[in-house]
Amino acid sequence: MTIKNARMNVGVRQKLASLPRTRCAKCNSVKSYTNPMAKCWECKKKFCFDDIRSGQFKQGMKRIDQLRRICDECKEKYGYDGI
């Protein structure tokens, strides 16, 4: 199925432009295709990959549990260690 001359309505374009863009909770950088965001497992805030720690585990996690992405504050607060 091909669509020729498919264009966005003005209303749809304005609605998309009015949506707020995701920003890093630490450095306030904007999400883009070159700067993706990741959510902290504990506090659920979004961070760019420069400001979040990946591959973290804590005491009491099972061997089959997935490694987590944690921000610096939650790492100290909940006692996470890196691999």
Side-chain angles (χ1 to χ4, degrees), residues 28-61:
N28 205 27
S29 62
V30 179
K31 177 184 176 182
S32 66
Y33 71 95
T34 59
N35 187 26
M37 299 287 164
K39 191 183 288 188
C40 176
W41 181 270
E42 297 289 342
C43 66
K44 307 296 187 218
K45 294 179 184 175
K46 293 186 179 182
F47 295 91
C48 59
F49 280 98
D50 293 335
D51 297 325
I52 198 161
R53 298 178 179 269
S54 297
Q56 302 291 310
F57 66 93
K58 69 178 179 179
Q59 192 68 23
M61 287 177 63

Side-chain angles (χ1 to χ4, degrees), residues 5-44:
N5 297 328
R7 303 245 188 246
M8 249 194 284
N9 280 345
V10 175
V12 173
R13 191 177 306 138
Q14 288 175 346
K15 185 175 181 180
L16 287 172
S18 69
L19 292 174
R21 297 184 67 187
T22 303
R23 293 186 169 270
C24 177
K26 187 172 182 181
C27 67
N28 205 27
S29 62
V30 179
K31 177 184 176 182
S32 66
Y33 71 95
T34 59
N35 187 26
M37 299 287 164
K39 191 183 288 188
C40 176
W41 181 270
E42 297 289 342
C43 66
K44 307 296 187 218

